[in-house]
Each structure stands twice: as structure tokens, then as C-alpha cells.
Amino acid sequence: NTLVLVDIATGWLECIPLLRKCASDVIDGLRVVDELLPFPMLGLDTDCGSEFINYDLLDYCEERKIPFTRARTHRKNDQAHIEEKNGSVVRRLVGYDRLEGRKAWEALVHLYRVLRKYINYFQPSLKLIEKERCGAKVSKKYDPAKTPYQRVLLSEHISQATKDSLTREYESIDPVDMLTQMEKLQDQLWTYSWNKHGKAEEPLTVCTDDEAKQDPVK
């Protein structure tokens, strides 16, 4: 499972792989996110899954004075920002295959470490400014496309020291090398995927005609 968090103001994205879909793993994931985010978490809004709606997560938020709200039941549009990232980032770059075991989890950890930089520093997105309905027609107005990193730099609520730290990290990244690394990590991750029969995909073996005659199984 992947715990996906999106900051509404900047579009900053964090993806945390979870071994289990439970409250304790979600809280551990939030602790990791708390260290990764370039700004403090001022609120948490979740869907209605049991991994979120429980006293453990409520206590975690109350201890840190984080307002905790939830979406309405059976209303996926309440989590539109997360649903969009689930499709455009997680499903598109990780896929739909089933992943099991610690090795698959570790492979996903390594991929997400690179992926967060790729999305937050180099992938611009539009931000809806206003929406107006006139009969059946809906007009939408967006701001110019910016990366989450660029929106953080423009924010008045984030310290200059944090912005300088992000700029140093941004300048140290080689985009070409990062994309090559992402492709290798994707290939490594998919070696742990399970097919529709519930078995991990076996690598194909190539042999000559003479070898095939000696061993028909090949």
C-alpha cells in the first residue's frame, strides 16, 4: 500500500510505502512525512478507511495539535487531490500489479525516494483559481503552471532558510541521471510483481535449438 499526502497550497507530494494497511503503519508513515516536508503539517484530512478513522491516529494528531478531519462516506470527490495523484503518479509509475513482502516494500522505498524529487522539483501542475457555472457550462481559471518547489519559493509562510535549503537540493540534482535511476528502480520493483494467477513473474530463459532438444522443458 502507498500512503499518499498532498499539500493543497503548494501541491507538494509525499508517497510512503506501507507493509500493512493499519493505523500503526499509517502513523509511522506520518512521522516520516513530518521529517520530509519542507513546512509543518497544519492539518490532516483523510478518507473514511479504518486505517485512518481510529483512536490511535486521533491521539497522534491531538498530541501534535494537528486538526484532523475526514471526507464524507462514499464521496470520493472529497479526496479529489489524492485521487488525481493516485492515478497520475502512483498507478502510472508504479503500476497495478500486486506487490508482497519486505523486498518489494524496500524496492518501493528506493523508488519513492527518487520519485518525490522528480514530482516536487520538476513536474509543473495547474492550480484552480476560480470556477464559474453559467447554466450547463462551467468556466475554470487556472494560475500559470508551476512545480511544487516553485510554489514553496513564492510562499510568504515559509522561512528563507527552508527555501535556501530546497534550492541547494534542487541545484544538486541531475535530471537526466535521476530519470535513468528511476527507470532502473522501476524495473527492479516489477520483478516482485504478482500476475493474475497469484504467482510472481518468472524471468524468461533463452536457449538454442540443441538445448531445447536435450531438455524439452526449456
Side-chain angles (χ1 to χ4, degrees), residues 29-193:
L30 290 176
R31 291 194 177 102
V32 174
V33 169
D34 192 46
E35 297 178 1
L36 294 175
L37 285 176
F39 39 78
M41 188 183 299
L42 301 180
L44 184 66
D45 184 72
T46 72
D47 62 26
C48 298
S50 60
E51 68 274 18
F52 298 119
I53 308 303
N54 54 75
Y55 286 109
D56 292 334
L57 184 56
L58 179 62
D59 292 341
Y60 175 86
C61 291
E62 288 182 342
E63 289 173 5
R64 289 157 180 77
K65 295 181 171 57
I66 300 173
F68 180 30
T69 57
R70 67 172 179 83
R72 294 171 294 177
T73 307
H74 306 307
R75 299 291 182 92
K76 281 196 172 184
N77 282 344
D78 287 356
Q79 296 291 325
H81 294 85
I82 292 294
E83 297 297 341
E84 192 277 328
K85 296 301 181 183
N86 282 342
S88 65
V89 178
V90 178
R91 294 304 183 189
R92 185 177 180 184
L93 298 175
V94 175
Y96 290 83
D97 291 343
R98 182 180 180 85
L99 301 169
E100 285 189 2
R102 182 166 291 275
K103 289 186 177 180
W105 174 79
E106 290 174 352
L108 199 54
V109 169
H110 294 313
L111 176 59
Y112 282 154
R113 283 176 182 170
V114 180
L115 181 62
R116 66 181 297 273
K117 296 180 181 179
Y118 171 71
I119 297 297
N120 292 323
Y121 286 109
F122 298 100
Q123 288 299 295
S125 60
L126 298 172
K127 188 175 177 64
L128 182 65
I129 298 177
E130 62 178 279
K131 181 169 61 173
E132 183 179 353
R133 178 181 291 275
C134 182
K137 183 179 179 181
V138 177
S139 300
K140 298 180 180 180
K141 185 181 292 185
Y142 297 89
D143 73 343
K146 300 182 186 68
T147 65
Y149 162 68
Q150 291 172 325
R151 287 198 169 95
V152 169
L153 295 186
L154 294 173
S155 175
E156 300 177 353
H157 305 287
I158 299 175
S159 67
Q160 188 59 45
T162 299
K163 294 178 182 179
D164 292 341
S165 176
L166 291 176
T167 299
R168 287 192 295 271
E169 184 176 30
Y170 169 74
E171 293 176 347
S172 68
I173 299 173
D174 181 346
V176 176
D177 179 67
M178 181 180 60
L179 287 175
T180 301
Q181 189 178 1
M182 275 184 56
E183 290 175 357
K184 291 180 179 178
L185 291 172
Q186 282 177 303
D187 291 339
Q188 181 181 355
L189 175 67
W190 291 331
T191 61
Y192 300 108
S193 66

Side-chain angles (χ1 to χ4, degrees), residues 203-218:
L204 296 176
T205 58
V206 179
C207 60
T208 64
D209 291 339
D210 293 338
E211 290 175 337
K213 291 176 182 178
Q214 295 175 2
D215 188 354
V217 175
K218 292 184 179 181

